[in-house]
Amino acid sequence: MQSRPERTAPWTPPSKRFVVAGSGPSLLALDPARIDAESTIVRVNNFFFEETYHLGRRADLVQVGGDRWIFPFYAATLKKLVAEGTYSVGAWSCHQRHVIARGQRALDLPFMPLGYRDAAAEKAITGLIEAHDKTPTTGILAIINAHALGAETITLAGIDLYAAPDRYAHRLEGHSAALVQQIGTAGYNLKFHDPELDLAILRYLADRADVELYRSAPEAVALDFLPLAPVSASGLKAEPKRDALNDWVGWAGLWPIGAMRLARRTNEFQRAVRKSLFKKGAP
């Protein structure tokens, strides 16, 4: 069994002002003037599919979560983009044991384990998770991590809690589009997540005295209980992106992504069969 990594990664956030950016449609309405240019930028999952550098090329921390079968191709894509200079990434974080093990082999980046600022936060948030019996979405985990890393302010961008008709602010093609079609084009994947859990965690953090939470655009209606971020004197400047990327790279080492998707479907089928047989054999 893999031991849990210690929280001693050689990476520290450059600022206590954090921006946590998901890929929800409100990212398109981001007001760069409300983003301090010196903020610690936290991006989530497939942020590199954006068609414009909404928050620049710098991603100080990337919060990762999702399908462990696809992760090798995600990691190969991220590694390629960093090597090409398309993005600069400081560190990465994840809450999934199997993904962490694979990522530490595949990514030449410092790893930051998911944490909590103090015992009170851990007790409150884990209590909410247990009560709902679901996992927070990756964007919410990124916010929890930002708080743990000492954020004094957290401005949310593209965090829409899947309340908009479209799931993402960007287009998807090929394998990434096929995976999204499997879980639906809008709304929560209720097998794993619960919107009430995400909201409860956000409200808990917003009520704490040690951090201020803001939204970056009026269009983020799911976050209307949060105030708009103030306009910054050193507002960020969005920049155009020469080439849009809408799918992961096709190979991770010797594995083609098509073979991995087939292996994934086979594994899911076998699990479904075992579950069905177990039910039939139960008294």
Side-chain angles (χ1 to χ4, degrees):
M1 177 182 294
Q2 179 194 6
S3 60
R4 183 174 179 178
E6 297 294 329
R7 198 177 183 86
T8 55
W11 177 86
T12 54
S15 170
K16 290 187 180 296
R17 298 183 300 276
F18 277 67
V19 176
V20 175
S23 296
S26 69
L27 187 63
L28 299 174
L30 171 70
D31 182 356
R34 298 185 187 277
I35 305 296
D36 189 299
E38 303 303 317
S39 296
T40 298
I41 306 294
V42 183
R43 303 302 300 264
V44 176
N45 284 339
N46 298 300
F47 69 96
F48 42 69
F49 287 158
E50 64 186 355
E51 296 171 12
T52 297
Y53 288 113
H54 293 289
L55 292 154
R57 299 170 183 253
R58 172 171 57 90
D60 297 303
L61 179 68
V62 177
Q63 192 75 39
V64 178
D67 195 316
R68 65 187 177 94
W69 292 89
I70 298 298
F71 178 77
F73 303 93
Y74 171 90
T77 305
L78 183 61
K79 191 171 183 177
K80 179 175 182 288
L81 293 173
V82 170
E84 293 174 347
T86 305
Y87 286 96
S88 169
V89 177
W92 73 288
S93 182
C94 183
H95 64 291
Q96 295 165 282
R97 178 169 55 90
H98 295 296
V99 171
I100 292 170
R102 291 181 177 184
Q104 289 179 319
R105 293 193 297 267
L107 293 173
D108 300 323
L109 294 168
F111 173 74
M112 292 297 295
L114 179 71
Y116 299 92
R117 176 171 292 190
D118 51 36
E122 181 172 14
K123 181 179 179 181
I125 294 171
T126 56
L128 289 169
I129 293 171
E130 290 170 3
H132 288 81
D133 195 25
K134 293 290 171 67
T135 303
T137 50
T138 310
I140 300 302
L141 292 171
I143 297 164
I144 295 170
N145 223 9
H147 181 247
L149 289 165
E152 294 176 353
T153 66
I154 304 176
T155 299
L156 308 185
I159 302 288
D160 297 320
L161 305 184
Y162 300 111
D166 295 320
R167 195 174 187 85
Y168 301 120
H170 52 251
R171 294 181 299 107
L172 296 174
E173 296 177 355
H175 299 287
S176 62
L179 185 66
V180 169
Q181 287 172 0
Q182 292 176 9
I183 61 176
T185 56
Y188 272 72
N189 182 350
L190 296 176
K191 181 179 179 181
F192 301 108
H193 307 299
D194 182 345
E196 294 303 321
L197 170 60
D198 282 0
L199 275 171
I201 292 172
L202 282 176
R203 291 184 183 278
Y204 165 74
L205 291 173
D207 287 342
R208 284 183 59 115
D210 57 1
V211 65
E212 296 179 46
L213 266 62
Y214 298 105
R215 55 184 169 135
S216 59
E219 288 79 358
V221 294
L223 305 179
D224 59 4
F225 60 94
L226 298 178
L228 277 170
V231 172
S232 172
S234 60
L236 192 70
K237 289 182 173 60
E239 58 178 295
K241 195 174 182 182
R242 179 177 298 176
D243 299 309
L245 178 71
N246 304 106
D247 200 3
W248 304 294
V249 298
W251 290 79
L254 299 176
W255 275 93
I257 194 169
M260 184 62 75
R261 283 182 59 194
L262 178 61
R264 175 179 175 271
R265 287 197 298 269
T266 301
N267 180 70
E268 290 174 348
F269 175 75
Q270 291 173 341
R271 288 177 60 187
V273 169
R274 288 195 297 268
K275 186 176 180 180
S276 176
L277 291 174
F278 175 79
K279 286 184 177 179
K280 288 181 180 178

